[in-house]
Each structure stands twice: as structure tokens, then as C-alpha cells.
mmCIF file of all heavy atoms in Angstrom:
data_model
loop_
_atom_site.group_PDB
_atom_site.id
_atom_site.type_symbol
_atom_site.label_atom_id
_atom_site.label_comp_id
_atom_site.label_asym_id
_atom_site.label_seq_id
_atom_site.Cartn_x
_atom_site.Cartn_y
_atom_site.Cartn_z
ATOM 1 N N MET Q 1 93.642 73.401 91.796
ATOM 2 C CA MET Q 1 92.552 74.384 91.609
ATOM 3 C C MET Q 1 92.723 75.536 92.590
ATOM 4 O O MET Q 1 92.982 75.335 93.760
ATOM 5 C CB MET Q 1 91.214 73.685 91.830
ATOM 6 C CG MET Q 1 90.031 74.535 91.437
ATOM 7 S SD MET Q 1 89.934 74.768 89.670
ATOM 8 C CE MET Q 1 89.656 73.082 89.121
ATOM 9 N N ALA Q 2 92.596 76.720 92.099
ATOM 10 C CA ALA Q 2 92.765 77.886 92.953
ATOM 11 C C ALA Q 2 91.509 78.127 93.795
ATOM 12 O O ALA Q 2 90.408 77.818 93.377
ATOM 13 C CB ALA Q 2 93.052 79.111 92.107
ATOM 14 N N ASP Q 3 91.719 78.672 94.968
ATOM 15 C CA ASP Q 3 90.598 78.988 95.841
ATOM 16 C C ASP Q 3 90.486 80.490 96.029
ATOM 17 O O ASP Q 3 91.481 81.198 96.140
ATOM 18 C CB ASP Q 3 90.809 78.352 97.222
ATOM 19 C CG ASP Q 3 90.771 76.841 97.162
ATOM 20 O OD1 ASP Q 3 90.065 76.298 96.306
ATOM 21 O OD2 ASP Q 3 91.458 76.209 97.975
ATOM 22 N N ALA Q 4 89.259 80.960 96.089
ATOM 23 C CA ALA Q 4 89.012 82.344 96.468
ATOM 24 C C ALA Q 4 88.745 82.357 97.976
ATOM 25 O O ALA Q 4 88.603 81.311 98.601
ATOM 26 C CB ALA Q 4 87.802 82.890 95.706
ATOM 27 N N GLU Q 5 88.688 83.551 98.544
ATOM 28 C CA GLU Q 5 88.423 83.645 99.972
ATOM 29 C C GLU Q 5 87.049 84.246 100.210
ATOM 30 O O GLU Q 5 86.733 85.311 99.667
ATOM 31 C CB GLU Q 5 89.500 84.501 100.637
ATOM 32 C CG GLU Q 5 89.331 84.538 102.155
ATOM 33 C CD GLU Q 5 90.413 85.376 102.816
ATOM 34 O OE1 GLU Q 5 91.566 84.931 102.867
ATOM 35 O OE2 GLU Q 5 90.094 86.491 103.271
ATOM 36 N N CYS Q 6 86.261 83.579 101.027
ATOM 37 C CA CYS Q 6 84.921 84.062 101.342
ATOM 38 C C CYS Q 6 85.003 85.339 102.179
ATOM 39 O O CYS Q 6 85.663 85.347 103.210
ATOM 40 C CB CYS Q 6 84.161 82.976 102.101
ATOM 41 S SG CYS Q 6 82.529 83.503 102.662
ATOM 42 N N PRO Q 7 84.340 86.416 101.742
ATOM 43 C CA PRO Q 7 84.366 87.675 102.499
ATOM 44 C C PRO Q 7 83.558 87.584 103.791
ATOM 45 O O PRO Q 7 83.694 88.423 104.672
ATOM 46 C CB PRO Q 7 83.762 88.684 101.519
ATOM 47 C CG PRO Q 7 82.907 87.868 100.616
ATOM 48 C CD PRO Q 7 83.576 86.523 100.505
ATOM 49 N N GLU Q 8 82.740 86.570 103.909
ATOM 50 C CA GLU Q 8 81.878 86.420 105.078
ATOM 51 C C GLU Q 8 82.578 85.657 106.200
ATOM 52 O O GLU Q 8 82.558 86.072 107.344
ATOM 53 C CB GLU Q 8 80.584 85.705 104.669
ATOM 54 C CG GLU Q 8 79.536 85.660 105.755
ATOM 55 C CD GLU Q 8 78.874 87.014 105.975
ATOM 56 O OE1 GLU Q 8 79.032 87.892 105.118
ATOM 57 O OE2 GLU Q 8 78.213 87.186 107.022
ATOM 58 N N CYS Q 9 83.198 84.538 105.859
ATOM 59 C CA CYS Q 9 83.790 83.699 106.902
ATOM 60 C C CYS Q 9 85.282 83.469 106.694
ATOM 61 O O CYS Q 9 85.925 82.784 107.480
ATOM 62 C CB CYS Q 9 83.063 82.350 106.959
ATOM 63 S SG CYS Q 9 83.371 81.286 105.539
ATOM 64 N N ALA Q 10 85.834 84.045 105.627
ATOM 65 C CA ALA Q 10 87.254 83.914 105.333
ATOM 66 C C ALA Q 10 87.659 82.482 105.006
ATOM 67 O O ALA Q 10 88.831 82.138 105.014
ATOM 68 C CB ALA Q 10 88.110 84.452 106.475
ATOM 69 N N GLY Q 11 86.670 81.662 104.712
ATOM 70 C CA GLY Q 11 86.957 80.286 104.343
ATOM 71 C C GLY Q 11 87.361 80.186 102.886
ATOM 72 O O GLY Q 11 87.185 81.125 102.112
ATOM 73 N N LYS Q 12 87.891 79.047 102.518
ATOM 74 C CA LYS Q 12 88.282 78.835 101.134
ATOM 75 C C LYS Q 12 87.076 78.505 100.280
ATOM 76 O O LYS Q 12 86.257 77.672 100.644
ATOM 77 C CB LYS Q 12 89.298 77.695 101.034
ATOM 78 C CG LYS Q 12 90.683 78.097 101.491
ATOM 79 C CD LYS Q 12 91.649 76.943 101.245
ATOM 80 C CE LYS Q 12 93.063 77.347 101.651
ATOM 81 N NZ LYS Q 12 94.006 76.215 101.489
ATOM 82 N N VAL Q 13 86.987 79.156 99.141
ATOM 83 C CA VAL Q 13 85.899 78.905 98.199
ATOM 84 C C VAL Q 13 86.509 78.432 96.892
ATOM 85 O O VAL Q 13 87.061 79.222 96.133
ATOM 86 C CB VAL Q 13 85.064 80.173 97.948
ATOM 87 C CG1 VAL Q 13 83.912 79.873 97.004
ATOM 88 C CG2 VAL Q 13 84.546 80.742 99.271
ATOM 89 N N PRO Q 14 86.467 77.132 96.637
ATOM 90 C CA PRO Q 14 87.040 76.620 95.389
ATOM 91 C C PRO Q 14 86.229 77.040 94.180
ATOM 92 O O PRO Q 14 85.006 76.973 94.201
ATOM 93 C CB PRO Q 14 87.004 75.099 95.588
ATOM 94 C CG PRO Q 14 85.889 74.868 96.566
ATOM 95 C CD PRO Q 14 85.867 76.077 97.462
ATOM 96 N N LEU Q 15 86.932 77.488 93.158
ATOM 97 C CA LEU Q 15 86.248 77.833 91.913
ATOM 98 C C LEU Q 15 86.280 76.622 90.987
ATOM 99 O O LEU Q 15 87.303 75.985 90.826
ATOM 100 C CB LEU Q 15 86.951 79.010 91.228
ATOM 101 C CG LEU Q 15 86.983 80.323 92.007
ATOM 102 C CD1 LEU Q 15 87.560 81.418 91.118
ATOM 103 C CD2 LEU Q 15 85.614 80.718 92.507
ATOM 104 N N LYS Q 16 85.139 76.331 90.432
ATOM 105 C CA LYS Q 16 85.070 75.192 89.524
ATOM 106 C C LYS Q 16 85.819 75.489 88.234
ATOM 107 O O LYS Q 16 85.935 76.641 87.822
ATOM 108 C CB LYS Q 16 83.603 74.907 89.170
ATOM 109 C CG LYS Q 16 82.835 74.277 90.317
ATOM 110 C CD LYS Q 16 81.441 73.898 89.862
ATOM 111 C CE LYS Q 16 80.414 74.894 90.368
ATOM 112 N NZ LYS Q 16 79.067 74.576 89.922
ATOM 113 N N ALA Q 17 86.261 74.449 87.590
ATOM 114 C CA ALA Q 17 86.873 74.622 86.279
ATOM 115 C C ALA Q 17 85.825 75.213 85.346
ATOM 116 O O ALA Q 17 84.687 74.784 85.340
ATOM 117 C CB ALA Q 17 87.354 73.275 85.746
ATOM 118 N N GLY Q 18 86.216 76.215 84.610
ATOM 119 C CA GLY Q 18 85.277 76.842 83.692
ATOM 120 C C GLY Q 18 84.426 77.907 84.349
ATOM 121 O O GLY Q 18 83.516 78.442 83.725
ATOM 122 N N ALA Q 19 84.717 78.218 85.603
ATOM 123 C CA ALA Q 19 83.968 79.271 86.293
ATOM 124 C C ALA Q 19 84.202 80.603 85.586
ATOM 125 O O ALA Q 19 85.283 80.839 85.035
ATOM 126 C CB ALA Q 19 84.414 79.359 87.746
ATOM 127 N N GLU Q 20 83.176 81.439 85.595
ATOM 128 C CA GLU Q 20 83.275 82.716 84.906
ATOM 129 C C GLU Q 20 82.922 83.861 85.837
ATOM 130 O O GLU Q 20 82.168 83.689 86.795
ATOM 131 C CB GLU Q 20 82.328 82.740 83.704
ATOM 132 C CG GLU Q 20 82.697 81.730 82.642
ATOM 133 C CD GLU Q 20 81.726 81.797 81.474
ATOM 134 O OE1 GLU Q 20 80.809 82.612 81.502
ATOM 135 O OE2 GLU Q 20 81.911 81.012 80.532
ATOM 136 N N GLU Q 21 83.454 85.010 85.539
ATOM 137 C CA GLU Q 21 83.109 86.204 86.300
ATOM 138 C C GLU Q 21 81.608 86.431 86.259
ATOM 139 O O GLU Q 21 80.977 86.251 85.224
ATOM 140 C CB GLU Q 21 83.815 87.431 85.715
ATOM 141 C CG GLU Q 21 85.300 87.464 86.027
ATOM 142 C CD GLU Q 21 85.948 88.745 85.491
ATOM 143 O OE1 GLU Q 21 85.241 89.755 85.368
ATOM 144 O OE2 GLU Q 21 87.146 88.703 85.189
ATOM 145 N N GLY Q 22 81.059 86.822 87.396
ATOM 146 C CA GLY Q 22 79.631 87.093 87.457
ATOM 147 C C GLY Q 22 78.804 85.885 87.847
ATOM 148 O O GLY Q 22 77.616 85.998 88.114
ATOM 149 N N GLU Q 23 79.453 84.717 87.884
ATOM 150 C CA GLU Q 23 78.728 83.511 88.260
ATOM 151 C C GLU Q 23 78.419 83.528 89.762
ATOM 152 O O GLU Q 23 79.212 84.007 90.549
ATOM 153 C CB GLU Q 23 79.601 82.298 87.923
ATOM 154 C CG GLU Q 23 78.829 81.004 87.789
ATOM 155 C CD GLU Q 23 79.736 79.870 87.303
ATOM 156 O OE1 GLU Q 23 80.556 80.110 86.404
ATOM 157 O OE2 GLU Q 23 79.601 78.767 87.848
ATOM 158 N N ILE Q 24 77.264 83.010 90.125
ATOM 159 C CA ILE Q 24 76.879 82.959 91.533
ATOM 160 C C ILE Q 24 77.180 81.566 92.085
ATOM 161 O O ILE Q 24 76.747 80.560 91.530
ATOM 162 C CB ILE Q 24 75.377 83.262 91.711
ATOM 163 C CG1 ILE Q 24 75.034 84.621 91.109
ATOM 164 C CG2 ILE Q 24 74.997 83.199 93.189
ATOM 165 C CD1 ILE Q 24 75.701 85.791 91.751
ATOM 166 N N ILE Q 25 77.930 81.545 93.176
ATOM 167 C CA ILE Q 25 78.247 80.273 93.814
ATOM 168 C C ILE Q 25 77.944 80.406 95.301
ATOM 169 O O ILE Q 25 77.674 81.499 95.787
ATOM 170 C CB ILE Q 25 79.726 79.884 93.600
ATOM 171 C CG1 ILE Q 25 80.644 80.968 94.177
ATOM 172 C CG2 ILE Q 25 80.020 79.681 92.118
ATOM 173 C CD1 ILE Q 25 82.116 80.596 94.089
ATOM 174 N N SER Q 26 78.002 79.304 96.016
ATOM 175 C CA SER Q 26 77.771 79.344 97.455
ATOM 176 C C SER Q 26 79.036 78.947 98.191
ATOM 177 O O SER Q 26 79.763 78.055 97.770
ATOM 178 C CB SER Q 26 76.648 78.372 97.832
ATOM 179 O OG SER Q 26 75.427 78.801 97.290
ATOM 180 N N CYS Q 27 79.274 79.615 99.301
ATOM 181 C CA CYS Q 27 80.420 79.264 100.129
ATOM 182 C C CYS Q 27 80.174 77.891 100.753
ATOM 183 O O CYS Q 27 79.121 77.668 101.336
ATOM 184 C CB CYS Q 27 80.609 80.310 101.223
ATOM 185 S SG CYS Q 27 81.886 79.852 102.409
ATOM 186 N N PRO Q 28 81.122 76.970 100.612
ATOM 187 C CA PRO Q 28 80.933 75.637 101.179
ATOM 188 C C PRO Q 28 80.928 75.632 102.700
ATOM 189 O O PRO Q 28 80.434 74.697 103.318
ATOM 190 C CB PRO Q 28 82.118 74.835 100.617
ATOM 191 C CG PRO Q 28 83.144 75.865 100.278
ATOM 192 C CD PRO Q 28 82.387 77.107 99.899
ATOM 193 N N ASP Q 29 81.466 76.664 103.299
ATOM 194 C CA ASP Q 29 81.526 76.723 104.765
ATOM 195 C C ASP Q 29 80.290 77.367 105.376
ATOM 196 O O ASP Q 29 79.684 76.832 106.288
ATOM 197 C CB ASP Q 29 82.775 77.492 105.213
ATOM 198 C CG ASP Q 29 84.032 76.647 105.070
ATOM 199 O OD1 ASP Q 29 83.906 75.413 104.983
ATOM 200 O OD2 ASP Q 29 85.129 77.217 105.036
ATOM 201 N N CYS Q 30 79.915 78.558 104.893
ATOM 202 C CA CYS Q 30 78.817 79.291 105.525
ATOM 203 C C CYS Q 30 77.577 79.382 104.653
ATOM 204 O O CYS Q 30 76.543 79.838 105.112
ATOM 205 C CB CYS Q 30 79.289 80.690 105.942
ATOM 206 S SG CYS Q 30 79.674 81.782 104.565
ATOM 207 N N GLY Q 31 77.694 78.947 103.403
ATOM 208 C CA GLY Q 31 76.520 78.928 102.547
ATOM 209 C C GLY Q 31 76.138 80.275 101.970
ATOM 210 O O GLY Q 31 75.127 80.390 101.296
ATOM 211 N N THR Q 32 76.945 81.295 102.229
ATOM 212 C CA THR Q 32 76.652 82.614 101.690
ATOM 213 C C THR Q 32 76.745 82.599 100.177
ATOM 214 O O THR Q 32 77.626 81.971 99.612
ATOM 215 C CB THR Q 32 77.662 83.636 102.248
ATOM 216 O OG1 THR Q 32 77.504 83.706 103.660
ATOM 217 C CG2 THR Q 32 77.443 85.020 101.654
ATOM 218 N N ARG Q 33 75.811 83.297 99.536
ATOM 219 C CA ARG Q 33 75.856 83.382 98.075
ATOM 220 C C ARG Q 33 76.919 84.383 97.666
ATOM 221 O O ARG Q 33 76.938 85.518 98.147
ATOM 222 C CB ARG Q 33 74.485 83.789 97.531
ATOM 223 C CG ARG Q 33 73.520 82.610 97.485
ATOM 224 C CD ARG Q 33 72.097 83.082 97.567
ATOM 225 N NE ARG Q 33 71.835 84.091 96.557
ATOM 226 C CZ ARG Q 33 71.221 83.832 95.389
ATOM 227 N NH1 ARG Q 33 70.829 82.616 95.100
ATOM 228 N NH2 ARG Q 33 70.984 84.793 94.532
ATOM 229 N N LEU Q 34 77.762 83.952 96.784
ATOM 230 C CA LEU Q 34 78.896 84.766 96.359
ATOM 231 C C LEU Q 34 78.906 84.922 94.850
ATOM 232 O O LEU Q 34 78.539 84.009 94.119
ATOM 233 C CB LEU Q 34 80.208 84.113 96.810
ATOM 234 C CG LEU Q 34 80.326 83.837 98.309
ATOM 235 C CD1 LEU Q 34 81.524 82.932 98.570
ATOM 236 C CD2 LEU Q 34 80.466 85.133 99.089
ATOM 237 N N GLU Q 35 79.354 86.069 94.419
ATOM 238 C CA GLU Q 35 79.503 86.310 92.990
ATOM 239 C C GLU Q 35 80.991 86.297 92.672
ATOM 240 O O GLU Q 35 81.795 86.910 93.388
ATOM 241 C CB GLU Q 35 78.910 87.669 92.629
ATOM 242 C CG GLU Q 35 79.078 88.006 91.161
ATOM 243 C CD GLU Q 35 78.460 89.353 90.811
ATOM 244 O OE1 GLU Q 35 77.743 89.912 91.651
ATOM 245 O OE2 GLU Q 35 78.722 89.840 89.706
ATOM 246 N N ILE Q 36 81.346 85.606 91.618
ATOM 247 C CA ILE Q 36 82.749 85.557 91.215
ATOM 248 C C ILE Q 36 83.140 86.909 90.628
ATOM 249 O O ILE Q 36 82.621 87.313 89.590
ATOM 250 C CB ILE Q 36 82.995 84.432 90.197
ATOM 251 C CG1 ILE Q 36 82.658 83.076 90.841
ATOM 252 C CG2 ILE Q 36 84.455 84.453 89.746
ATOM 253 C CD1 ILE Q 36 82.744 81.910 89.879
ATOM 254 N N ALA Q 37 84.013 87.606 91.326
ATOM 255 C CA ALA Q 37 84.441 88.933 90.877
ATOM 256 C C ALA Q 37 85.589 88.814 89.894
ATOM 257 O O ALA Q 37 85.758 89.631 88.999
ATOM 258 C CB ALA Q 37 84.845 89.782 92.068
ATOM 259 N N SER Q 38 86.385 87.781 90.069
ATOM 260 C CA SER Q 38 87.535 87.566 89.209
ATOM 261 C C SER Q 38 87.914 86.102 89.265
ATOM 262 O O SER Q 38 87.811 85.455 90.303
ATOM 263 C CB SER Q 38 88.705 88.435 89.679
ATOM 264 O OG SER Q 38 89.875 88.092 88.977
ATOM 265 N N VAL Q 39 88.310 85.566 88.129
ATOM 266 C CA VAL Q 39 88.703 84.156 88.077
ATOM 267 C C VAL Q 39 90.206 84.020 88.289
ATOM 268 O O VAL Q 39 90.685 83.118 88.950
ATOM 269 C CB VAL Q 39 88.299 83.527 86.730
ATOM 270 C CG1 VAL Q 39 88.839 82.108 86.597
ATOM 271 C CG2 VAL Q 39 86.770 83.530 86.607
ATOM 272 N N ASN Q 40 90.941 84.955 87.727
ATOM 273 C CA ASN Q 40 92.392 84.921 87.860
ATOM 274 C C ASN Q 40 92.916 86.325 88.118
ATOM 275 O O ASN Q 40 92.981 87.140 87.198
ATOM 276 C CB ASN Q 40 93.018 84.322 86.600
ATOM 277 C CG ASN Q 40 94.512 84.099 86.755
ATOM 278 O OD1 ASN Q 40 95.018 84.030 87.859
ATOM 279 N ND2 ASN Q 40 95.206 83.991 85.645
ATOM 280 N N PRO Q 41 93.296 86.675 89.358
ATOM 281 C CA PRO Q 41 93.316 85.765 90.515
ATOM 282 C C PRO Q 41 91.908 85.489 91.029
ATOM 283 O O PRO Q 41 91.022 86.317 90.829
ATOM 284 C CB PRO Q 41 94.121 86.561 91.556
ATOM 285 C CG PRO Q 41 93.834 87.990 91.214
ATOM 286 C CD PRO Q 41 93.735 88.022 89.712
ATOM 287 N N PRO Q 42 91.722 84.338 91.665
ATOM 288 C CA PRO Q 42 90.399 83.981 92.167
ATOM 289 C C PRO Q 42 89.924 84.942 93.253
ATOM 290 O O PRO Q 42 90.607 85.149 94.252
ATOM 291 C CB PRO Q 42 90.586 82.564 92.716
ATOM 292 C CG PRO Q 42 92.036 82.318 92.767
ATOM 293 C CD PRO Q 42 92.724 83.320 91.916
ATOM 294 N N LYS Q 43 88.764 85.523 93.034
ATOM 295 C CA LYS Q 43 88.235 86.469 94.002
ATOM 296 C C LYS Q 43 86.714 86.457 93.933
ATOM 297 O O LYS Q 43 86.138 86.417 92.851
ATOM 298 C CB LYS Q 43 88.757 87.876 93.686
ATOM 299 C CG LYS Q 43 88.436 88.894 94.769
ATOM 300 C CD LYS Q 43 89.100 90.216 94.436
ATOM 301 C CE LYS Q 43 88.831 91.219 95.553
ATOM 302 N NZ LYS Q 43 89.417 92.533 95.254
ATOM 303 N N VAL Q 44 86.078 86.473 95.095
ATOM 304 C CA VAL Q 44 84.613 86.503 95.128
ATOM 305 C C VAL Q 44 84.152 87.647 96.016
ATOM 306 O O VAL Q 44 84.863 88.121 96.893
ATOM 307 C CB VAL Q 44 84.027 85.172 95.651
ATOM 308 C CG1 VAL Q 44 84.345 84.029 94.704
ATOM 309 C CG2 VAL Q 44 84.531 84.860 97.051
ATOM 310 N N GLN Q 45 82.927 88.073 95.764
ATOM 311 C CA GLN Q 45 82.320 89.115 96.589
ATOM 312 C C GLN Q 45 80.910 88.665 96.942
ATOM 313 O O GLN Q 45 80.367 87.755 96.327
ATOM 314 C CB GLN Q 45 82.283 90.435 95.826
ATOM 315 C CG GLN Q 45 81.454 90.357 94.554
ATOM 316 C CD GLN Q 45 81.635 91.586 93.666
ATOM 317 O OE1 GLN Q 45 82.522 92.391 93.882
ATOM 318 N NE2 GLN Q 45 80.778 91.714 92.666
ATOM 319 N N LEU Q 46 80.318 89.326 97.928
ATOM 320 C CA LEU Q 46 78.958 88.968 98.303
ATOM 321 C C LEU Q 46 78.037 89.203 97.119
ATOM 322 O O LEU Q 46 78.099 90.245 96.470
ATOM 323 C CB LEU Q 46 78.502 89.818 99.486
ATOM 324 C CG LEU Q 46 79.254 89.560 100.799
ATOM 325 C CD1 LEU Q 46 78.754 90.524 101.866
ATOM 326 C CD2 LEU Q 46 79.083 88.125 101.259
ATOM 327 N N ALA Q 47 77.199 88.239 96.827
ATOM 328 C CA ALA Q 47 76.286 88.368 95.704
ATOM 329 C C ALA Q 47 75.200 89.373 96.038
ATOM 330 O O ALA Q 47 74.756 89.456 97.184
ATOM 331 C CB ALA Q 47 75.667 87.010 95.386
ATOM 332 N N PRO Q 48 74.779 90.150 95.050
ATOM 333 C CA PRO Q 48 73.668 91.072 95.279
ATOM 334 C C PRO Q 48 72.412 90.285 95.596
ATOM 335 O O PRO Q 48 72.210 89.190 95.076
ATOM 336 C CB PRO Q 48 73.553 91.833 93.951
ATOM 337 C CG PRO Q 48 74.182 90.935 92.937
ATOM 338 C CD PRO Q 48 75.262 90.184 93.679
ATOM 339 N N LYS Q 49 71.593 90.851 96.471
ATOM 340 C CA LYS Q 49 70.366 90.151 96.844
ATOM 341 C C LYS Q 49 69.338 90.275 95.730
ATOM 342 O O LYS Q 49 68.920 91.356 95.375
ATOM 343 C CB LYS Q 49 69.812 90.729 98.142
ATOM 344 C CG LYS Q 49 70.663 90.357 99.338
ATOM 345 C CD LYS Q 49 70.049 90.870 100.633
ATOM 346 C CE LYS Q 49 70.915 90.460 101.814
ATOM 347 N NZ LYS Q 49 70.398 91.019 103.080
ATOM 348 N N VAL Q 50 68.978 89.142 95.192
ATOM 349 C CA VAL Q 50 67.987 89.116 94.127
ATOM 350 C C VAL Q 50 66.990 88.015 94.425
ATOM 351 O O VAL Q 50 67.263 87.097 95.167
ATOM 352 C CB VAL Q 50 68.635 88.877 92.748
ATOM 353 C CG1 VAL Q 50 69.456 90.074 92.334
ATOM 354 C CG2 VAL Q 50 69.465 87.619 92.773
ATOM 355 N N GLU Q 51 65.840 88.135 93.821
ATOM 356 C CA GLU Q 51 64.792 87.152 94.057
ATOM 357 C C GLU Q 51 64.655 86.187 92.895
ATOM 358 O O GLU Q 51 63.682 85.483 92.761
ATOM 359 C CB GLU Q 51 63.449 87.860 94.294
ATOM 360 C CG GLU Q 51 63.466 88.751 95.532
ATOM 361 C CD GLU Q 51 63.732 87.950 96.797
ATOM 362 O OE1 GLU Q 51 63.250 86.821 96.889
ATOM 363 O OE2 GLU Q 51 64.446 88.462 97.685
ATOM 364 N N GLU Q 52 65.658 86.207 92.035
ATOM 365 C CA GLU Q 52 65.574 85.341 90.871
ATOM 366 C C GLU Q 52 65.782 83.880 91.230
ATOM 367 O O GLU Q 52 66.363 83.549 92.240
ATOM 368 C CB GLU Q 52 66.623 85.740 89.831
ATOM 369 C CG GLU Q 52 66.311 87.071 89.173
ATOM 370 C CD GLU Q 52 67.330 87.382 88.107
ATOM 371 O OE1 GLU Q 52 67.524 86.546 87.221
ATOM 372 O OE2 GLU Q 52 67.941 88.464 88.158
ATOM 373 N N ASP Q 53 65.298 83.038 90.379
ATOM 374 C CA ASP Q 53 65.447 81.599 90.587
ATOM 375 C C ASP Q 53 66.692 81.120 89.849
ATOM 376 O O ASP Q 53 66.785 81.213 88.641
ATOM 377 C CB ASP Q 53 64.208 80.879 90.056
ATOM 378 C CG ASP Q 53 64.291 79.372 90.292
ATOM 379 O OD1 ASP Q 53 65.260 78.924 90.921
ATOM 380 O OD2 ASP Q 53 63.382 78.668 89.844
ATOM 381 N N TRP Q 54 67.658 80.659 90.625
ATOM 382 C CA TRP Q 54 68.918 80.217 90.020
ATOM 383 C C TRP Q 54 68.947 78.707 89.858
ATOM 384 O O TRP Q 54 70.002 78.107 89.731
ATOM 385 C CB TRP Q 54 70.089 80.641 90.887
ATOM 386 C CG TRP Q 54 70.248 82.122 90.920
ATOM 387 C CD1 TRP Q 54 69.748 82.971 91.865
ATOM 388 C CD2 TRP Q 54 70.946 82.952 89.974
ATOM 389 N NE1 TRP Q 54 70.084 84.252 91.555
ATOM 390 C CE2 TRP Q 54 70.824 84.279 90.417
ATOM 391 C CE3 TRP Q 54 71.667 82.668 88.808
ATOM 392 C CZ2 TRP Q 54 71.385 85.339 89.713
ATOM 393 C CZ3 TRP Q 54 72.213 83.722 88.116
ATOM 394 C CH2 TRP Q 54 72.072 85.057 88.576
ATOM 395 N N GLY Q 55 67.802 78.086 89.866
ATOM 396 C CA GLY Q 55 67.783 76.622 89.830
ATOM 397 C C GLY Q 55 68.209 76.024 88.504
ATOM 398 O O GLY Q 55 68.608 74.884 88.453
ATOM 399 N N GLU Q 56 68.160 76.815 87.463
ATOM 400 C CA GLU Q 56 68.495 76.258 86.145
ATOM 401 C C GLU Q 56 69.972 76.349 85.854
ATOM 402 O O GLU Q 56 70.529 77.419 85.942
ATOM 403 C CB GLU Q 56 67.725 77.010 85.074
ATOM 404 C CG GLU Q 56 67.608 76.246 83.779
ATOM 405 C CD GLU Q 56 66.795 74.972 83.934
ATOM 406 O OE1 GLU Q 56 65.723 74.994 84.535
ATOM 407 O OE2 GLU Q 56 67.267 73.924 83.454
HETATM 408 ZN ZN1 ZN B 101 81.852 81.602 103.870
#
């Protein structure tokens, strides 16, 4: 599985199988919310600050 790099802590952020661009994930190291900018090559960016509920 390919890993993206966290822009906050430079840690590895594994992308789940079936991950899609625009998906919001959390960095396993620092917990920062990240948006998948690209799946191939794997790349993430800081997620925009929103007040939406992502629990679903
Ligand atoms: Zn991080």
C-alpha cells in the first residue's frame, strides 16, 4: 500500500484501498485532518476547516 506524506509532521499517511480524491482522513501520527489530493501518486493536503459532521 502506498503512503502519502503528512504536510504537518512529514509522517507517513497510509491510504486505504479504495480511497478517493477529496476524501478526508486523519494523520495517524499527529491527528491532523487531511484531504486526499491525489491517489496516484499518493498525496494529501491539509483539509479545509469545516464544521460539518463527518461521522457518517
Ligand atoms: Zn501528521
Side-chain angles (χ1 to χ4, degrees):
M1 190 69 64
D3 294 329
E5 185 179 288
C6 175
E8 188 73 14
C9 70
K12 285 185 178 177
V13 182
L15 298 187
K16 287 186 257 179
E20 295 180 0
E21 286 183 27
E23 201 174 318
I24 303 297
I25 59 176
S26 294
C27 173
D29 284 341
C30 67
T32 297
R33 281 154 53 100
L34 304 168
E35 178 179 349
I36 298 175
S38 172
V39 174
N40 187 20
K43 189 175 183 182
V44 295
Q45 61 191 12
L46 294 177
K49 289 183 179 176
V50 291
E51 298 298 323
E52 290 183 54
D53 182 4
W54 293 95
E56 200 65 47

